[in-house]
């Protein structure tokens, strides 16, 4: 039975299993992923809820902004001691813009504080469910209704045709019938560190009794602002909530020696039970297989990505996927400026071979400039060590020439050009280059020929290719 208890703990937040989070490909977003070494490209970190398999690697030493729901924010500081200066709670149901990414938090119906994340940006629209329990009422969510979803990261915990589960309301009624069938028994319910609170509240109201919990759990119930049906006073009520690991054969023997007792394990996972007084109730905070199919059929995403690794379930949803192409990251490529009529006329009058040679010898660095195709051609002395002024990225409003390294480097470059010693009083400015030295048209736009290509062709062959190109371009 102890092995069964360890298996059950994986559904909630017992012994921390493998990390359940991920870095969303093509985005700066990491969800439930707390390994900075493995998430080098992530800038925005989100926590879906406080179950242990979603907080692996998260501790009091965390030092990045972390976004979550207000309830999760309270639990995060209380339980893991993450500094409040890094916790950024976001209101559920509202859209927030973070670093050019719009995120909306939606209730995931899993445990207190759990949310889904709807991300929008140049990468398209992504819905990350985290752990969630689908209900048909989610179809009334205006932020999801009719929304195109490029990628759906889906909680696939029960994504198998044999994982059919009743609703939580039906499972609660099943637990109530079980309790009524044992009117003279104490009832012990195995729960996780977080989760199943709604079941406990419903049973307390149904049978008008206190639910006895440990002092630390009582403090958490108050932190969650749940109804006042919990107490830490032993004997005040005949329903007790204990850690799921305590539901074992030996503890049942001990409890029944004191008073007739039954134990209830609310779980959606198959568990082998060896003691007759341990009862399973199919109460789960994860979506059933049919609920997952209904959710995907309604949402019609372009693709489904399972959150639980090793459980590839996309085959069950292929018929429900949208046929629309996915939105790819928006990589903007600048278009070349159109030539004026005067530039076109001037280009046609010039000898293309001469134009290329002038471009190789006299053009200032623009982007990537490879070596000249001419052998033994040295760079003009005036440009040796010169820097492209566009390489400096400091903003004038925040940059001071006295402290900014880019200006210091610029002054050093000027001193080197003038031949003066560093610190000389005389300032030397680089002489402006006349526009007539800059090529236009073809040579300006196509100055990025790699050196290995130039080595494969002699300068004469290459000049002939350029001449042929312009000759073909002049043919009407």
């Amino acid at each position: 039975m102890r092995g069964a208890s360890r298996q059950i703990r994986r559904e909630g937040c017992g012994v921390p299993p493998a990390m359940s989070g991920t870095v969303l490909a093509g985005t700066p977003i990491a969800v439930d992923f707390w390994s900075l070494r493995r998430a080098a490209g992530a800038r925005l970190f989100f926590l879906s809820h406080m179950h242990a398999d979603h907080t692996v690697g998260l501790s009091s030493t965390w030092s990045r902004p972390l976004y979550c729901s207000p309830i999760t924010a309270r639990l995060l500081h209380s339980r893991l001691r993450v500094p409040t200066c890094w916790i950024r709670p976001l209101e559920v149901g509202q859209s927030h813009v973070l670093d050019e990414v719009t995120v909306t938090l939606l209730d995931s119906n899993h445990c207190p504080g759990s949310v889904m994340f709807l991300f929008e940006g140049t990468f398209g629209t992504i819905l990350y469910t985290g752990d969630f329990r689908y209900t048909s009422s989610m179809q009334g969510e205006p932020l999801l209704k009719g929304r195109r979803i490029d990628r759906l990261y889906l909680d696939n915990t029960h994504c198998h045709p044999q994982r059919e589960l009743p609703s939580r309301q039906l499972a609660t009624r099943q637990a109530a019938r079980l309790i009524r069938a044992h009117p003279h028994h104490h009832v012990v319910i195995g729960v996780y560190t977080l989760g199943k609170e709604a079941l406990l509240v419903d049973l307390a109201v149904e049978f008008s009794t206190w639910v006895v919990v440990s002092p630390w759990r009582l403090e958490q119930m108050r932190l969650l602002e749940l109804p006042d049906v919990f107490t830490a006073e032993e004997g005040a009520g005949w329903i007790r909530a204990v850690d799921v690991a305590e539901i074992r054969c030996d503890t049942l023997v001990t409890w029944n020696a004191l008073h007739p007792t039954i134990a209830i394990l609310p779980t959606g996972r198959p568990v082998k039970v060896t003691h007759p007084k341990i009862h399973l109730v199919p109460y789960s905070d994860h979506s059933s297989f049919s609920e997952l199919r209904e959710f995907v059929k309604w949402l019609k995403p372009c693709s489904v990505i399972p959150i639980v690794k090793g459980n590839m379930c996309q085959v069950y949803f292929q018929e429900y996927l949208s046929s629309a192409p996915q939105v790819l990251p928006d990589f903007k490529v600048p278009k070349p400026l159109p030539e004026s009529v005067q530039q076109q006329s001037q280009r046609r009058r010039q000898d293309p071979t001469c134009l290329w040679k002038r471009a190789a010898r006299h053009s200032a660095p623009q982007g990537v400039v490879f070596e000249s195709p001419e052998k033994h051609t040295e760079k003009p002395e005036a440009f040796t060590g010169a820097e492209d002024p566009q390489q400096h990225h400091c903003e004038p409003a925040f940059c001071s020439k006295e402290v900014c390294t880019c200006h210091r480097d610029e002054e050093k470059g000027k001193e080197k050009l003038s031949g003066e010693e560093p610190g000389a009083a005389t300032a030397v400015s680089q002489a402006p280059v006349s526009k007539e030295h800059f090529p236009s048209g073809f040579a300006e736009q196509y100055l990025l020929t790699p050196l290995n290509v130039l080595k494969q062709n002699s300068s004469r062959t290459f000049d002939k290719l350029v001449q042929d190109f312009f000759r073909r371009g002049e043919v009407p």
Side-chain angles (χ1 to χ4, degrees), residues 236-311:
W238 50 271
I239 295 180
R240 279 194 299 148
V242 301
D243 190 275
V244 68
E246 294 186 43
I247 307 299
R248 305 188 306 267
C249 182
D250 57 331
T251 55
L252 262 295
V253 171
T254 302
W255 293 334
N256 276 276
L258 301 175
H259 192 279
T261 303
I262 63 170
I264 295 177
L265 282 176
T267 178
R269 297 178 184 273
V271 177
K272 183 179 180 180
V273 177
T274 58
H275 195 283
K277 298 228 173 165
I278 297 177
H279 302 271
L280 298 181
V281 173
Y283 186 104
S284 179
D285 290 326
H286 295 269
S287 302
S288 67
F289 178 72
S290 61
E291 289 169 347
L292 290 175
R293 283 173 62 91
E294 182 181 341
F295 179 65
V296 176
K297 181 179 180 180
W298 167 70
L299 201 61
K300 292 182 175 59
C302 296
S303 64
V304 174
I305 303 171
I307 292 178
V308 180
K309 309 299 187 296
N311 184 8

Side-chain angles (χ1 to χ4, degrees), residues 49-367:
H49 63 291
M50 275 296 294
H51 277 165
D53 56 330
H54 295 259
T55 59
V56 176
L58 189 57
S59 68
S60 60
T61 62
W62 182 261
S63 58
R64 300 285 193 283
L66 183 159
Y67 302 94
C68 59
S69 69
I71 292 178
T72 299
R74 295 199 295 268
L75 294 173
L76 185 60
H77 178 66
S78 173
R79 285 169 47 180
L80 297 183
R81 301 299 177 188
V82 174
T84 55
C85 62
W86 299 117
I87 303 175
R88 311 290 167 82
L90 301 176
E91 287 299 325
V92 179
Q94 298 181 10
S95 296
H96 311 267
V97 179
L98 308 171
D99 196 12
E100 299 184 354
V101 173
T102 301
V103 58
T104 307
L105 279 62
L106 305 171
D107 185 5
S108 70
N109 194 34
H110 176 68
C111 70
S114 64
V115 292
M116 300 185 284
F117 295 107
L118 181 66
F119 298 109
E120 301 170 86
T122 56
F123 47 77
T125 302
I126 298 174
L127 179 63
Y128 191 99
T129 67
D131 290 351
F132 89 121
R133 182 72 195 257
Y134 169 78
T135 63
S136 57
S137 62
M138 290 182 177
Q139 297 189 19
E141 173 57 58
L143 292 170
L144 293 179
K145 202 170 184 179
R147 176 67 64 93
R148 169 201 170 101
I149 303 296
D150 295 291
R151 279 182 275 172
L152 171 63
Y153 286 81
L154 184 67
D155 172 19
N156 56 316
T157 300
H158 293 316
C159 188
H160 192 279
Q162 296 180 354
R163 293 289 183 90
E164 283 301 337
L165 299 167
S167 67
R168 286 187 293 195
Q169 291 75 16
L170 288 176
T172 300
R173 289 202 287 269
Q174 181 176 338
R177 287 195 301 269
L178 181 63
I179 293 173
R180 286 194 181 94
H182 299 80
H184 304 296
H185 286 65
H186 287 175
V187 178
V188 181
I189 302 176
V191 293
Y192 313 118
T193 307
L194 180 67
K196 308 294 192 296
E197 290 83 5
L199 172 64
L200 299 177
V201 171
D202 290 342
L203 293 178
V205 173
E206 177 77 16
F207 295 100
S208 300
T209 181
W210 291 97
V211 176
V212 181
V213 297
S214 62
W216 76 263
R217 194 182 290 272
L218 178 62
E219 181 182 351
Q220 177 170 283
M221 298 300 186
R222 290 171 176 169
L223 191 66
L224 297 174
E225 301 178 353
L226 294 173
D228 188 18
V229 298
F230 301 98
T231 181
E233 182 183 349
E234 289 292 339
W238 50 271
I239 295 180
R240 279 194 299 148
V242 301
D243 190 275
V244 68
E246 294 186 43
I247 307 299
R248 305 188 306 267
C249 182
D250 57 331
T251 55
L252 262 295
V253 171
T254 302
W255 293 334
N256 276 276
L258 301 175
H259 192 279
T261 303
I262 63 170
I264 295 177
L265 282 176
T267 178
R269 297 178 184 273
V271 177
K272 183 179 180 180
V273 177
T274 58
H275 195 283
K277 298 228 173 165
I278 297 177
H279 302 271
L280 298 181
V281 173
Y283 186 104
S284 179
D285 290 326
H286 295 269
S287 302
S288 67
F289 178 72
S290 61
E291 289 169 347
L292 290 175
R293 283 173 62 91
E294 182 181 341
F295 179 65
V296 176
K297 181 179 180 180
W298 167 70
L299 201 61
K300 292 182 175 59
C302 296
S303 64
V304 174
I305 303 171
I307 292 178
V308 180
K309 309 299 187 296
N311 184 8
M312 298 297 103
C313 62
Q314 294 94 325
V315 64
Y316 299 119
F317 308 113
Q318 288 299 322
E319 60 182 305
Y320 304 134
L321 299 184
S322 171
S323 58
Q326 294 186 48
V327 173
L328 298 177
D330 185 16
F331 298 111
K332 295 183 178 180
V333 179
K335 297 180 179 179
L337 296 175
E339 282 187 315
S340 64
V341 176
Q342 183 179 2
Q343 287 176 323
Q344 293 178 2
S345 177
Q346 182 181 2
R347 171 174 57 79
R348 288 170 179 168
R349 287 197 302 268
Q350 289 176 326
D351 178 37
T353 305
C354 176
L355 187 61
W356 172 261
K357 292 180 179 179
R358 288 176 59 189
R361 281 196 292 265
H362 299 293
S363 61
Q366 295 182 351

